[in-house]
Amino acid sequence: MIGLLLEGFTVVFSISIFPLLVTAVAGGIIIGSLPGLTATMGVAVLLPFTFGMDSTAALVMLVGVYIGGIYGGSIAAILLRTPGTPAAAATVMDGHALVLKGEAGKALSVSAISSFIGGFISTVMLITLSPLLARFALRFSAPEYFGLALFGLTIIASVSARNLIKGFLGGLFGLLIATVGLDPVTSYPRFTFGTINLLQGFNIIPVLIGLFAISEAFVQMESLRQTHSNPVRDLSARCLISVREFIRVLPTAVKSGIMGTFIGSIPGAGADIAAFVTYNEARRSSKTPDEFGQGILEGIAAPEAGNNGVTGGALVPLLTLGVPGDAVAAVLLGALIIQGLAPGPLLFTRSAPLVYGLFASMLVANVVMLFLGIIGIRFYARVLQVPKRLIIGIIVFLSMVGAFAMNNSIFDIHVAIGFGVIGYLMRKVDIPLSPIVLAIILGPMAESNLRRAIQMYQGSWSFMYTRPITVAFLVLAVFSLVTAIRVKQRKQGD
Amino acid sequence: MNRVVAVVFALLSIGVLYATTTFRATLIIDAYLGAAFFPRAIAALMLGFAVVLWFMEPRVQSETERIKDCESESERRSLRTDIVTPIYTTILLIAYSLSLPYLGFSLATSLAFITLLALLGSRVWWHYLFSIVFSVVLFYVFYDLFRVRLPRGVLF
């Protein structure tokens, strides 16, 4: 294995491949940082360009864009409170809070370092533990997915900043939004009001853009006429993470990277779910859980390491079983087939140099991402020095094009505007926005898998206590909920 | 303010509960939970939490309440925010989205950006110039580079 990996490094560092990898990672970061353009979209857009390429070059390019794209989403999330991708939605909470404290440089550096740690751990686990991870993933069926989704939904209690009841109401509103569209089992059109645009439900990208970006633009507009200075302008990009802070966040980043890899290896559970689950776990196990949401470094390290941990995890079922774990893996499956390769157990024996070349390129892509992330901080942070009136306009119209981009649909622009207004009103009455997004992401997973599980068990709910992984998730969910409520009570008591 | 929020959520949940009673039978039958189960469960929980919120003593004041409780007018003015601009911006964005297919992305975005800058009270000439350049560059980046079929409109 070591010999093959070294051979892979030789290929990656060759004159024809390395510049391509650096360009792909840089391109991925740019794509990820633009609202509405996801890593999946970046990989899909580039797929046709790989048709005429050599197999290694094609895979290196796509993997570079994937890794860069997942990290890139955090830049806009931290600086503009506008998550570039759904995977970066959890980073908004503590990332932007740090920017408001004038510590944008620190937030961006934690994000880059944690993304690197998550991505690197994930790739190492992919190389060494693929068969084990594949076995773990194969044990997941409807009851386990329901357990995972329910555990994820308990995060609502942790991210409900001031008022738990309002947080739950926000989460329930998100779950309700998630039920719009065709019913996952019977295909009955629910709450579609006869419009064809709602048959597939609300697309998460315009909803996310509306709730975070447009509502933020509205809030920024309100304060334009006030005389006090804008805290966002008073920041320093020079202040990076210190060695002591790095040592403090390292365990969180490592744990989240490992969790992200496991979550990524489960087909259907993507980077967005991993980010929220790892954020919740970091908060639950923290000695200072009430500092989460106020701009704590672990609040950035956990979701960033978690979502980048998915990059290697998602390739486990693809490479070992030929089953794509998420949308990006599905595009990569297409790329492998186009190159005449058949993913599955035989890929490791028939095309070992290519597979290990891919592994080596993933390791190097993570290092390149860290390098570009760190040297880019002073350039990214300059965004905050742009005059406020211009930055509001840029956010608004980038949001419009981002909402349109996913489906080329004007309807999605209307959705973004509508959710912008809803988000703005929610903020006015102190209803947190994160539970809404979380519920929209996890709601469909919870509903469809609960109903499938009940059908599997012919109407019985016994899967709740007979399947070990489901039981583990349900226990974790109860534990997470109780911890969050107790922390809130203690805080209110103080 | 908590009571207003509680009423809004209660009305929403009652609306959803009513809507689920109108769900019709489908060819594919889910004999156990059915299409109405999840929305009903969510709406019932929402109604429950709305009732709790109605009776709850607000521990933290919302922004509107903080303004209402201010003693002096100057204090009130410092907290009061400009809600008119977001309302005008919403109207502008709706008009912009409706004009996109006709005017095309570059022209519609340039005009909307210029109007927004005027709404925000910008008096710097290069902000207006930037808005035009930004719109055109954005169009070409998304259209040519990312293959997003932005509306071209009548001019392009």
Side-chain angles (χ1 to χ4, degrees), chain A residues 172-368:
Chain A
L172 289 166
F173 176 73
L175 285 175
L176 212 53
I177 294 298
T179 63
V180 173
L182 291 177
D183 169 48
V185 178
T186 64
S187 294
Y188 182 80
R190 298 185 298 195
F191 314 118
T192 55
F193 306 102
T195 166
I196 198 167
N197 292 310
L198 284 176
L199 283 180
Q200 295 302 314
F202 288 106
N203 188 328
I204 184 70
I205 301 280
V207 172
L208 206 65
I209 285 174
L211 285 177
F212 285 113
I214 297 181
S215 76
E216 176 66 17
F218 285 161
V219 170
Q220 295 289 328
M221 279 172 200
E222 281 189 333
S223 53
L224 264 182
R225 291 175 205 276
Q226 287 177 5
T227 46
H228 62 75
S229 67
N230 170 23
V232 175
R233 302 284 300 277
D234 308 329
L235 63 91
S236 161
R238 282 162 293 180
C239 173
L240 301 180
I241 184 176
S242 66
V243 176
R244 182 181 281 188
E245 286 166 331
F246 170 73
I247 293 168
R248 201 185 84 201
V249 298
L250 188 62
T252 307
V254 171
K255 186 169 82 174
S256 304
I258 295 170
M259 282 176 71
T261 311
F262 274 97
I263 294 170
S265 68
I266 305 164
D272 41 3
I273 293 171
F276 275 109
V277 169
T278 49
Y279 181 87
N280 189 42
E281 176 49 29
R283 189 182 192 280
R284 192 198 60 76
S285 57
S286 168
K287 284 178 187 158
T288 53
D290 35 349
E291 282 179 29
F292 276 71
Q294 318 288 319
I296 189 170
L297 297 179
E298 287 86 342
I300 303 171
E304 281 308 305
N307 64 28
N308 274 76
V310 167
T311 53
L315 296 190
V316 171
L318 173 71
L319 297 178
T320 55
L321 309 166
V323 177
D326 65 1
V328 176
V331 182
L332 288 174
L333 173 68
L336 286 167
I337 292 168
I338 288 163
Q339 297 293 335
L341 303 160
L346 292 179
L347 187 70
F348 285 80
T349 47
R350 284 186 187 159
S351 313
L354 181 85
V355 173
Y356 283 89
L358 175 70
F359 292 161
S361 71
M362 287 180 76
L363 290 171
V364 178
N366 276 295
V367 177
V368 171

Side-chain angles (χ1 to χ4, degrees), chain B residues 115-129:
Chain B
T115 315
L116 180 64
L117 285 172
L119 259 176
L120 299 178
S122 172
R123 288 179 189 159
V124 186
W125 65 269
W126 67 264
H127 285 187
Y128 292 91
L129 182 66

Side-chain angles (χ1 to χ4, degrees), chain B residues 35-48:
Chain B
F37 172 80
F38 226 65
R40 261 184 210 155
I42 295 164
L45 276 171
M46 193 184 268
L47 191 59

Side-chain angles (χ1 to χ4, degrees), chain A residues 123-180:
Chain A
T123 310
V124 171
M125 285 176 76
L126 170 71
I127 298 167
T128 54
L129 302 172
S130 282
L132 191 77
L133 286 169
R135 272 204 296 278
F136 166 76
L138 280 176
R139 293 181 67 183
F140 267 68
S141 92
E144 285 75 22
Y145 280 111
F146 170 68
L148 175 66
L150 202 67
F151 170 55
L153 282 170
T154 58
I155 304 165
I156 288 173
S158 333
V159 296
S160 302
R162 295 203 249 185
N163 188 323
L164 208 56
I165 300 295
K166 284 186 179 176
F168 284 136
L169 281 171
L172 289 166
F173 176 73
L175 285 175
L176 212 53
I177 294 298
T179 63
V180 173

